[in-house]
Amino acid sequence: MLVRERIEEQEYLLLSPLAAKSREAVRDRQQDECIFRSKFQRDRDRIIHSKAFRRLKHKTQVFIISGDHYRTRMTHSLEVSQIGRTIARSLRLNEDLTEAIAMGHDVGHTPFGHSGEAALNRLTGHFAHNEQSLRVLQELEKGGRGLNLTREVQDGILHHSGSVRPFTLEGRIVHWADRIAYLCHDFDDSMRANILTADDLPEVVQQRIGTVTSHMITAMVSDVICNSEKAGDIVFSEPMGEAMAVFREFMFKNIYHSELLEQERSQGIFVLEQLYDFFMKNSDRLPEEFRQRRQECSLQQTVVDYVAGLTDSYAVQLFNDIFMPPVGVMVR
């Protein structure tokens, strides 16, 4: 028996009947399977080794002006994976599928966080990072061949946000693990930036979730594990759900939409707007890889794919190269 086949057999023996099974997973294109890894393990590895995943280390989570200890999109993805795997293991669901979805869920994010996403949405009429994440992995990676991920992983990535629920419980875990992670670590980063303190949290959040980051994560994870096992779905208790909704509203008001961070959000938006407009008018200045894609999709989609894929630092460097005079550059 191959190692992969043994893993597949163990899934049926050890996991919940509600868990997704890797043997039953389907890809858009058939291919030979790995002798060691299940389909979901292979999907996880493909995502981790992708260029899009590597770029996440230089993409903003919330704070554009940051230091070594602030979260990035990559560390956020790792934290979502850790939280998701804890929940999946406790519920006897498929950890490998959960991890693959978590690692890939944010690779479509723009530079400069959600402000960049909002800017591209305004410029194009529609842009959503979850849709772009799936497009990046399935259509842009590997020179346009894509990673050929299983449909279970595709669905979890596409529907980790938005109104449509993933069809697997593992995908639903990532939806909530994402929220647990960003609420807790963005609050932690806001304290590090001296913007918020634990005393600023609403009383219901302090009482039901806590004020220390690790305790807050534990409270929400414990609640969802205990309540999901009984419900046969991924759910929180009503008191915890209420507290999380208050926590989220608090974070949007005081951090995500706060006046304190408005300047750096505006600066990031301005850079993206100018780059988008420039490449829409000068498509010949796009990298060759993207110029070749013009045969397969519209100019606007090509420019969006390029600009959305930029890291924060490269977007600023590109802006300087295009729009700023070379003052101080010595010519011999």
Side-chain angles (χ1 to χ4, degrees):
M1 179 181 288
L2 298 177
V3 174
R4 185 198 74 247
E5 293 172 338
R6 186 169 69 242
I7 293 170
E8 293 170 345
E9 287 296 324
Q10 289 173 340
E11 289 180 351
Y12 288 98
L13 292 172
L14 302 176
L15 298 185
S16 164
L18 300 177
K21 308 301 191 299
S22 58
R23 181 183 291 167
E24 300 168 17
V26 177
R27 300 189 188 278
D28 293 343
R29 303 187 303 274
Q30 286 189 344
Q31 63 179 70
D32 293 335
E33 293 301 330
C34 177
I35 63 174
F36 300 111
R37 296 168 295 167
S38 72
K39 293 175 185 176
F40 297 147
Q41 290 173 332
R42 203 173 187 187
D43 282 359
R44 173 204 59 205
D45 294 348
R46 288 176 175 179
I47 292 168
I48 290 174
H49 288 281
S50 68
K51 292 187 297 183
F53 184 79
R54 291 196 293 276
R55 289 197 298 269
L56 293 180
K57 65 183 176 180
H58 295 303
K59 288 198 176 190
T60 289
Q61 174 65 21
V62 171
F63 296 94
I64 297 174
I65 300 175
S66 62
D68 291 342
H69 296 150
Y70 289 86
R71 272 73 172 190
T72 65
R73 283 289 163 194
M74 178 175 284
T75 60
H76 165 70
S77 297
L78 294 173
E79 292 185 33
V80 173
S81 175
Q82 176 270 316
I83 292 169
R85 287 174 55 230
T86 296
I87 297 170
R89 180 177 294 185
S90 298
L91 297 174
R92 294 190 301 123
L93 297 175
N94 199 308
E95 270 189 79
D96 296 326
L97 173 57
T98 304
E99 186 176 23
I101 296 169
M103 290 300 187
H105 82 284
D106 265 1
V107 296
H109 251 299
T110 64
F112 311 121
H114 283 287
S115 57
E117 179 177 15
L120 282 184
N121 185 59
R122 215 166 33 246
L123 289 166
T124 63
H126 179 75
F127 179 88
H129 78 272
N130 54 316
E131 297 173 8
Q132 188 68 11
S133 292
L134 184 59
R135 174 172 172 78
V136 166
L137 295 172
Q138 284 296 95
E139 299 183 41
L140 304 185
E141 276 290 328
K142 296 186 71 173
R145 298 190 304 277
L147 303 185
N148 195 26
L149 303 173
T150 59
R151 292 175 187 174
E152 289 82 353
V153 173
Q154 292 185 51
D155 173 78
I157 290 171
L158 179 61
H159 297 131
H160 81 270
S161 62
S163 58
V164 179
R165 301 179 78 207
F167 66 74
T168 65
L169 292 182
E170 290 83 359
R172 296 173 198 174
I173 286 175
V174 173
H175 167 82
W176 288 112
D178 182 35
R179 183 163 298 188
I180 292 170
Y182 73 67
L183 287 176
C184 292
H185 64 49
D186 292 348
F187 175 67
D188 186 50
D189 280 351
S190 71
M191 289 195 295
R192 180 170 289 107
N194 296 316
I195 295 175
L196 294 175
T197 69
D199 291 337
D200 294 323
L201 286 169
E203 185 176 352
V204 67
V205 176
Q206 294 188 44
Q207 291 178 347
R208 299 180 188 177
I209 298 178
T211 58
V212 178
T213 306
S214 60
H215 297 168
M216 297 167 91
I217 294 172
T218 298
M220 287 184 275
V221 169
S222 300
D223 187 274
V224 74
I225 289 171
C226 293
N227 288 278
S228 297
E229 194 156 24
K230 292 178 288 188
D233 198 358
I234 309 304
V235 296
F236 292 86
S237 67
E238 186 173 340
M240 181 58 71
E242 291 174 355
M244 289 178 67
V246 172
F247 192 9
R248 188 169 185 266
E249 183 179 359
F250 169 82
M251 289 298 293
F252 268 88
K253 178 181 178 181
N254 293 280
I255 296 299
Y256 307 135
H257 295 161
S258 71
E259 293 183 4
L260 286 172
L261 300 177
E262 179 57 34
Q263 181 178 356
E264 62 182 60
R265 285 199 301 267
S266 297
Q267 290 169 326
I269 289 170
F270 180 76
V271 168
L272 279 193
E273 288 175 340
Q274 297 307 307
L275 291 177
Y276 174 85
D277 184 64
F278 176 82
F279 286 112
M280 286 294 292
K281 295 175 181 176
N282 302 274
S283 60
D284 59 307
R285 295 284 296 275
L286 287 166
E288 182 180 358
E289 175 186 356
F290 288 87
R291 294 199 303 271
Q292 292 176 350
R293 290 179 188 157
R294 286 294 318 282
Q295 302 172 3
E296 303 172 7
C297 55
S298 67
L299 171 61
Q300 183 181 72
Q301 184 63 68
T302 303
V303 172
V304 166
D305 288 339
Y306 180 57
V307 173
L310 300 173
T311 62
D312 295 23
S313 55
Y314 190 68
V316 172
Q317 178 185 324
L318 196 58
F319 177 89
N320 287 333
D321 290 345
I322 293 171
F323 297 108
M324 302 301 290
V327 176
V329 176
M330 303 301 294
V331 178
R332 294 183 180 183

